[in-house]
Amino acid sequence: GMGVVLCATHRELGHKVAIKFLASEDDTSSSAVERFLREGKIVASLQSDHVVRIYDIGRLDSGIPYMVMELLRGRDLGNYVAASGPVPVQQAVDWLLQASHAISEAHERGIVHRDLKPSNLFLTQRSDGSDCVKVLDFGISKRVTVQDSAQMGPSLTATRQIVGSPAYMSPEQVRNARDIDHRVDIWALGMTLYELLAGHT
């Protein structure tokens, strides 16, 4: 909800990219800017094929931050289920294992996503036509270890602030969004798998 994404063409190379901007000029001096740029740094630090690639981050002359990303073609799993209904077990498990690959790397780096849900898992295709799931939107992620904390910056979440999507949040995350660990992502993946298999939350 904090970004607007546009398709653009690189003028020298000719290939298409996605450019995500902060949604409102009113937020350019707020913590939203820190959160936005922090997301770009976190995603750029992850090497998994199941995370969207970040090519650049910066600011326009107006101060609005942006990030240049790979352009994904396909649809998120929330839209997929809404249009097609329940997903066969083998396919659903394969998609969740792909997402888990990215989340596992994030957890190894002390990063908790905190907002995993079908609409943040994007289904695209590799060059050979096989399915590839990419994890999107690390905008409310949290670093839970001291290691490398200086690189990613401090947590931007107030103690009593509820962060995430309620249908996919563990009770611990609802009670206190700051005092959580990687297990909230495991919960959210379980809720996501249920939705893929049942066709509803």
Side-chain angles (χ1 to χ4, degrees):
M2 66 184 296
V4 174
V5 182
L6 303 175
C7 177
T9 302
H10 193 293
R11 289 189 292 189
E12 298 297 327
L13 300 177
H15 69 264
K16 293 189 181 298
V17 297
I19 305 180
K20 181 177 180 180
F21 298 91
L22 194 63
S24 171
E25 293 188 33
D26 297 334
D27 290 333
T28 54
S29 60
S30 72
S31 63
V33 171
E34 290 180 69
R35 193 184 303 279
F36 185 93
L37 295 175
R38 182 172 162 272
E39 176 188 6
K41 292 177 183 177
I42 286 173
V43 175
S45 75
L46 300 175
Q47 301 301 309
S48 172
D49 291 338
H50 301 289
V51 177
V52 64
R53 299 267 67 84
I54 301 292
Y55 301 133
D56 194 15
I57 59 173
R59 292 184 188 236
L60 302 177
D61 292 341
S62 63
I64 295 177
Y66 66 86
M67 63 179 82
V68 183
M69 309 177 293
E70 67 174 312
L71 178 66
L72 299 178
R73 300 192 182 279
R75 55 181 166 172
D76 66 61
L77 295 186
N79 285 330
Y80 184 98
V81 171
S84 305
V87 177
V89 173
Q90 185 173 351
Q91 188 174 52
V93 169
D94 176 59
W95 291 348
L96 261 291
L97 286 173
Q98 291 185 45
S100 296
H101 184 277
I103 296 304
S104 176
E105 182 189 0
H107 289 172
E108 288 174 3
R109 294 171 178 265
I111 299 162
V112 180
H113 188 286
R114 293 201 297 182
D115 197 22
L116 290 172
K117 55 188 176 182
S119 62
N120 280 339
L121 301 179
F122 197 91
L123 179 63
T124 186
Q125 275 72 46
R126 300 181 181 90
S127 58
D128 65 1
S130 60
D131 288 347
C132 182
V133 171
K134 301 253 186 181
V135 177
L136 307 179
D137 199 355
F138 281 78
I140 63 169
S141 62
K142 175 181 173 62
R143 181 167 286 282
V144 295
T145 63
V146 177
Q147 181 183 8
D148 296 331
S149 60
Q151 294 180 20
M152 296 303 175
S155 169
L156 298 174
T157 307
T159 303
R160 301 304 301 169
Q161 183 179 359
I162 293 180
V163 176
S165 301
Y168 307 93
M169 291 167 64
S170 69
E172 295 80 7
Q173 187 175 355
V174 173
R175 282 196 295 267
N176 188 339
R178 291 188 67 181
D179 189 22
I180 51 88
D181 61 27
H182 65 283
R183 290 173 291 182
V184 301
D185 285 346
I186 297 172
W187 173 286
L189 286 172
M191 298 299 287
T192 297
L193 181 58
Y194 180 94
E195 184 169 342
L196 295 182
L197 295 174
H200 55 79
T201 55

